[in-house]
Amino acid sequence: MKKFYQSQTWPNQKWRWMIPILLLALFLATLIWLPWQAQKMEANERQEQLIADTLWVEQAIIFQLDRNDEVVRQIGSDVVTAGIQPKAVLERFQQLLSSNREIARISWLGPEGETVVSTEKKGAPSKAGPPPHTLVSSVFEIDRKTRCFLPALDAEAQRNSYLISCQVPLYKQNTHYGNIVISYLANGILEELVPWWFAQENQISILDIDDTVYASRASGGVGKNVYTHNRTLELPELSLILRTNSTKTEPKILSNLLVVTIVLLSIGLIWSLLALWRDINRRLAAEGALRQQVIFRTAMENSLVTGLRARDMHGRLTYVNPAFCKMVGYPAEQIIGRVPPMPYWAPEAYEEYQERFSQLLAGSIPQDGFETIYLHANGERIPVLIYESPLIDETGKQTGWMSSILDISELKHAQEITRQQEEKLHASAKLATMGEMASMMAHELNQPLAAISSYTTAASNLIQAGVADPSLLQSALGKVNTQAQRAGQIIRSVYDFVKKRDPDRQCIHIRDVINSVLPLIELQAQPSHITVYADMSDPLPALLADPVLLEQVLLNLTRNAIEAMQNTAQSQKILRLQISYDETMQRIEILVIDRGHGISQQVAEKLFSPFFSTKNSGMGMGLNICRTAIEFHGGQLTHSANPEGGTIFRLALPVISEDNTAAQG
């Protein structure tokens, strides 16, 4: 067993050591190759820079020669068209000559080659070719060796310089008027048109295709023939070569320094590899432990039935677990990265979502959680309970919010079943009470009713027999009256027996009553997917009232409102309770506002009448009892149409006055 273990682990250990050794060998080879490659790259860069600079110099020379050609052509055009005098032409020649020191001379030759005007001293040689008859463009040519005076060059440079002439023909309507000849010293072109910084680093020469050197400039010394470049200098009818020869030598490698550097780097590399080996082992152990923790946490999150959701400081969704995705019906990739509004928000609760989202961004998170409705991808509405908490990183800085979402559909369903069972129990109790009352009344009323029947029959027989004794009739009617009073007393006794209790008015706060009854109202509204809002202003003075009666009134009114909104569009299924204090009238007003079908004029006239109902199973006593209860408290119950559709019921209850307060005291 031990041999098997060693045979399995040794190759792994061997490869672990072979890889660093191979990497070290590769590193040493790279250190040797890099200086050579750097030298080669530097040489290439120098050559490329020389080519670019040569191109720039060539373009500068061509540009200046073309510019001089244009100026001369303009002078020639003025000579032909305006007929300017030779003296004026000479002045313009001298002006051009003074601003362009590369020019040796400018001459105006007549049609037969005679000199009309020239900037050269009189008697100096001048050469011009035969008068062209078809030539219309400038022509360059190498003229000859010259000893003419050029202030920019010394005597030695002038003796070794060639003259480059450019003839510009003058024509008007196919009539030849002569030529303007502008002559350049080849050395003058290099001295004046080549930048000093370029001449300091390069020997630059002008040659022809036969390698005849017409001019050369070597301000920084003779070229080393390491970096050279030839550039054709294309002139009309003349091809010259612009050669540059750099004065730089090849880059040198400091071999001793390189060896020392390689040794030091190798030692540092070995030390780094050892440290890296130790750190890798530690990292692998930490990663293994972390991987186990991640696997455990992932398995735990995936097994949760509670939805988890994480959001950043801007409300963008950054994480959801599978339970949350199953709850809303959307896969994680469709909702992660989104900002509100979310696809699982129910339309009728948008205002609530936006308000809670604003509170969340402001940092006011409810500690006890809150209930709301989510819209499943299939259109089903799901009641949920949400708990929010800040999401804190390892530095203690808040990076967002973490939410736990519970699907409370089963809880709501159980509550609804409980409520229905309670209603059934109340109905059964009411039926039992009514049965007891009916049985008691039937038993107790049987004797007085039988007596009344007997006495009325006897009185009728006396009248039919013609016995007109008033005392007998009076006696019979008196006994009938007695039995009728007995029947009335029986009814009052049964009523006292079955009634719950006497109203108990006490000092209460309407806010407590609303908070007590609001869960029952929401429970009634849940099956119809109706959203309930309660708006209470401050301050709200105390009332002298029976809280149980007020709760029964509010439950009755809200139940009617919920039933009125059964066929209302989902986005408008909103029930509002608005509680405010009218300081002028010294009363508290409670508005029950629905968006239902409303109340027609015919129904409104009989709305509070006993036994009037628009429901098939209604007894028509609910609103009548509600108004009676409110009037018992000295208030009023009225209704009006809702401008947005539906009905508004208004309860007005007087607050406790100072007299009442004193009496209570």
Side-chain angles (χ1 to χ4, degrees):
M1 194 69 183
K2 187 175 181 181
K3 289 183 178 181
F4 176 78
Y5 176 76
Q6 289 180 348
S7 62
Q8 292 294 322
T9 57
W10 168 244
N12 294 334
Q13 297 292 335
K14 182 178 180 181
W15 279 110
R16 285 186 178 182
W17 285 104
M18 286 295 295
I19 291 176
I21 294 174
L22 292 176
L23 292 177
L24 179 60
L26 179 62
F27 178 73
L28 294 175
T30 303
L31 286 179
I32 297 173
W33 174 79
L34 277 179
W36 174 78
Q37 182 65 18
Q39 178 189 15
K40 185 177 179 181
M41 290 177 63
E42 184 178 356
N44 291 337
E45 289 178 0
R46 290 183 181 182
Q47 181 65 30
E48 291 173 359
Q49 185 64 40
L50 178 66
I51 294 173
D53 292 342
T54 304
L55 177 61
W56 185 87
V57 169
E58 181 259 341
Q59 294 294 329
I61 293 173
I62 294 297
F63 174 78
Q64 186 61 37
L65 296 181
D66 290 343
R67 182 182 172 192
N68 295 339
D69 183 79
E70 290 178 3
V71 175
V72 170
R73 282 182 175 277
Q74 184 61 43
I75 297 173
S77 177
D78 293 342
V79 169
V80 174
T81 58
I84 60 177
Q85 296 300 317
K87 183 178 181 181
V89 173
L90 180 59
E91 291 178 355
R92 295 180 66 174
F93 283 174
Q94 290 174 343
Q95 183 179 1
L96 178 61
L97 189 64
S98 62
S99 60
N100 296 276
R101 302 176 63 184
E102 71 275 6
I103 301 175
R105 68 166 178 256
I106 308 174
S107 303
W108 174 16
L109 305 181
E112 300 300 328
E114 71 278 8
T115 300
V116 179
V117 172
S118 178
T119 59
E120 196 173 32
K121 292 183 180 180
K122 224 169 191 185
S126 176
K127 178 183 176 184
H133 297 286
T134 59
L135 188 64
V136 295
S137 61
S138 304
V139 174
F140 280 84
E141 62 177 349
I142 296 294
D143 193 354
R144 56 183 173 79
K145 289 213 173 188
T146 181
R147 296 175 181 271
C148 67
F149 176 74
L150 185 62
L153 300 176
D154 55 22
E156 183 65 23
Q158 294 183 49
R159 283 195 297 272
N160 297 327
S161 179
Y162 284 81
L163 199 65
I164 302 175
S165 298
C166 173
Q167 297 189 36
V168 180
L170 306 179
Y171 279 93
K172 182 179 181 182
Q173 297 180 352
N174 296 327
T175 302
H176 182 233
Y177 283 83
N179 301 319
I180 294 180
V181 180
I182 177 170
S183 300
Y184 303 92
L185 280 176
N187 277 356
I189 292 176
L190 297 182
E191 290 290 339
E192 298 298 329
L193 302 184
V194 176
W196 64 269
W197 54 266
F198 187 76
Q200 285 294 118
E201 296 182 353
N202 303 279
Q203 178 184 3
I204 184 167
S205 306
I206 297 178
L207 308 86
D208 62 5
I209 57 177
D210 298 327
D211 289 339
T212 301
V213 179
Y214 294 130
S216 181
R217 181 181 179 185
S219 302
V222 180
K224 304 298 184 181
N225 293 321
V226 177
Y227 307 106
T228 61
H229 181 65
N230 292 341
R231 184 73 186 176
T232 302
L233 196 64
E234 292 289 347
L235 300 174
E237 301 296 330
L238 180 63
S239 293
L240 298 176
I241 296 174
L242 188 66
R243 172 176 293 175
T244 52
N245 190 350
S246 178
T247 59
K248 297 179 180 179
T249 59
E250 291 184 355
K252 295 182 179 179
I253 301 177
L254 299 177
S255 56
N256 295 332
L257 180 61
L258 180 59
V259 171
V260 173
T261 303
I262 291 175
V263 172
L264 293 177
L265 288 176
S266 301
I267 295 173
L269 179 61
I270 294 173
W271 179 84
S272 300
L273 286 175
L274 294 176
L276 181 61
W277 184 266
R278 181 192 60 186
D279 292 341
I280 287 176
N281 288 331
R282 292 179 180 177
R283 183 181 295 272
L284 289 175
E287 287 180 354
L290 180 61
R291 190 179 300 108
Q292 293 297 327
Q293 292 293 330
V294 170
I295 293 173
F296 174 74
R297 192 193 72 172
T298 303
M300 182 177 62
E301 292 177 356
N302 293 340
S303 62
L304 286 176
V305 296
T306 302
L308 298 179
R309 174 187 65 187
R311 292 182 286 183
D312 62 14
M313 298 299 293
H314 302 287
R316 182 178 288 101
L317 208 60
T318 58
Y319 167 78
V320 290
N321 70 337
F324 182 84
C325 296
K326 181 180 179 182
M327 189 181 302
V328 298
Y330 292 96
E333 57 270 14
Q334 288 188 13
I335 54 179
I336 287 182
R338 295 193 58 165
V339 294
M342 296 300 182
Y344 49 82
W345 284 9
E348 65 272 14
Y350 260 40
E351 294 182 4
E352 178 189 359
Y353 296 146
Q354 292 289 359
E355 181 180 356
R356 291 195 181 277
F357 182 68
S358 301
Q359 293 176 355
L360 184 70
L361 294 181
S364 57
I365 305 174
Q367 299 296 325
D368 300 331
F370 60 92
E371 292 185 16
T372 186
I373 298 174
Y374 276 171
L375 182 65
H376 195 272
N378 60 9
E380 179 185 358
R381 282 168 170 76
I382 304 170
V384 294
L385 179 61
I386 302 177
Y387 293 92
E388 300 276 6
S389 60
L391 190 61
I392 308 300
D393 63 6
E394 66 278 3
T395 62
K397 180 181 178 182
Q398 182 179 355
T399 60
W401 290 270
M402 193 71 190
S403 307
S404 301
I405 301 96
L406 300 176
D407 184 352
I408 56 175
S409 301
E410 295 297 331
L411 177 61
K412 292 294 183 181
H413 181 64
Q415 290 176 348
E416 178 62 19
I417 293 176
T418 303
R419 186 187 65 80
Q420 293 176 0
Q421 293 295 333
E422 290 178 354
E423 289 183 353
K424 289 180 181 180
L425 290 174
H426 288 308
S428 300
K430 184 184 292 185
L431 291 175
T433 302
M434 291 178 64
E436 293 176 1
M437 182 177 64
S439 175
M440 186 183 297
M441 289 179 66
H443 181 269
E444 295 294 334
L445 292 178
N446 186 36
Q447 292 181 358
L449 290 177
I452 290 172
S453 176
S454 298
Y455 289 135
T456 54
T457 301
S460 177
N461 292 334
L462 290 175
I463 293 173
Q464 291 178 359
V467 180
D469 188 354
S471 60
L472 294 176
L473 292 175
Q474 185 176 3
S475 176
L477 293 176
K479 293 180 179 179
V480 169
N481 182 38
T482 301
Q483 295 299 323
Q485 289 180 358
R486 181 185 175 190
Q489 181 62 35
I490 291 172
I491 294 174
R492 284 193 296 273
S493 299
V494 173
Y495 173 75
D496 293 337
F497 173 76
V498 299
K499 71 178 181 179
K500 281 187 176 181
R501 59 179 180 80
D502 293 329
D504 181 19
R505 297 179 65 181
Q506 52 185 298
C507 181
I508 64 171
H509 291 278
I510 193 63
R511 189 183 299 275
D512 297 334
V513 176
I514 297 299
N515 291 335
S516 177
V517 78
L518 191 59
L520 299 177
I521 297 174
E522 292 176 343
L523 196 61
Q524 292 178 354
Q526 188 67 37
S528 302
H529 302 292
I530 294 175
T531 305
V532 181
Y533 294 101
D535 301 326
M536 290 183 279
S537 61
D538 288 319
L540 294 173
L543 297 174
L544 190 62
D546 186 342
V548 176
L549 283 180
L550 292 183
E551 289 178 5
Q552 291 176 349
V553 170
L554 290 174
L555 283 173
N556 199 331
L557 293 177
T558 53
R559 185 186 299 112
N560 291 341
I562 291 169
E563 292 174 355
M565 289 189 288
Q566 292 301 315
N567 298 324
T568 303
Q570 185 62 49
S571 60
Q572 298 181 356
K573 285 187 175 183
I574 299 173
L575 175 61
R576 292 186 180 276
L577 297 178
Q578 293 184 359
I579 301 92
S580 61
Y581 172 54
D582 188 350
E583 189 174 0
T584 304
M585 301 297 295
Q586 290 292 303
R587 65 184 185 182
I588 289 178
E589 291 186 350
I590 304 174
L591 302 183
V592 181
I593 306 171
D594 66 66
R595 302 288 294 276
H597 50 68
I599 300 174
S600 64
Q601 185 63 31
Q602 294 79 6
V603 174
E605 295 175 356
K606 304 177 182 180
L607 190 62
F608 295 100
S609 300
F611 305 106
F612 174 78
S613 176
T614 58
K615 305 173 186 177
N616 296 331
S617 60
M619 297 179 61
M621 294 299 292
L623 289 178
N624 182 265
I625 294 175
C626 289
R627 186 171 68 173
T628 302
I630 296 301
E631 290 176 351
F632 168 76
H633 292 85
Q636 293 179 343
L637 174 61
T638 59
H639 73 91
S640 61
N642 186 359
E644 298 180 356
T647 308
I648 301 175
F649 280 88
R650 185 185 305 271
L651 286 74
L653 298 170
V655 300
I656 298 178
S657 62
E658 295 180 358
D659 295 337
N660 290 334
T661 305
Q664 290 292 325

